[in-house]
Amino acid sequence: MNREERYEYGMKVLEQVDGEAGQRIVDSLADTSPELGHQVVAWAFGDMYARPELPPRDRQLVTLGVLAALGGCEIELDVHINAALNVGLTATEIAEALLHSAVYCGMPRSINATLVAKKVFAERGLLPLTNLG
């Protein structure tokens, strides 16, 4: 595929996974680094997210764990918690994944990520979670 075809394909994948939230990120880069926006779409979604070896819900679990571990990624966590819900993860599964991340990345980062999840869950009418152990 050429550059534009990769971008167009990446936009289709982005829309399926992230919906409007992903488009807002790309739009927010347009006046500062349009090339970064292009790479998010063409490379991250057109190439990486489109790979068939992991289903989208598994990719989102990996993404949530990495973003929680990195810390300081609240904007991306917001986008990817929404994406995780879009691709079939439940709020309970997301909360459990972020709880599990505390073992590997520490309580502060797990708490920060969970508070982002709380915001997203509230916006989507998913609180309170009642099926947690």
Side-chain angles (χ1 to χ4, degrees):
M1 280 190 261
N2 68 31
R3 180 177 166 87
E4 277 311 305
E5 291 169 334
R6 283 180 57 231
Y7 184 84
E8 289 173 20
Y9 182 66
M11 281 304 294
K12 290 178 187 171
V13 176
L14 175 71
E15 289 168 7
Q16 293 169 350
V17 174
D18 282 344
E20 293 177 14
Q23 184 63 55
R24 282 193 301 273
I25 296 291
V26 173
D27 291 346
S28 73
L29 297 168
D31 63 352
T32 307
S33 184
E35 182 59 24
L36 181 56
H38 179 89
Q39 292 300 322
V40 166
V41 173
W43 180 65
F45 286 88
D47 291 343
M48 298 306 291
Y49 270 84
R51 293 178 57 80
E53 288 77 12
L54 280 177
R57 71 180 316 279
D58 294 353
R59 287 191 188 279
Q60 286 305 317
L61 279 172
V62 171
T63 302
L64 293 178
V66 170
L67 292 173
L70 285 171
C73 298
E74 287 76 14
I75 292 170
E76 287 293 311
L77 274 164
D78 186 291
V79 169
H80 286 283
I81 290 166
N82 273 295
L85 292 165
N86 292 345
V87 298
L89 285 161
T90 67
T92 300
E93 289 170 326
I94 293 166
E96 186 67 23
L98 297 176
L99 169 64
H100 186 74
S101 73
V103 175
Y104 295 95
C105 67
M107 287 289 186
R109 289 187 175 167
S110 177
I111 290 169
N112 289 347
T114 300
L115 292 176
V116 174
K118 178 180 180 175
K119 175 188 162 290
V120 171
F121 297 162
E123 290 170 353
R124 291 180 74 151
L126 301 173
L127 291 178
L129 299 185
T130 57
N131 52 347
L132 294 174

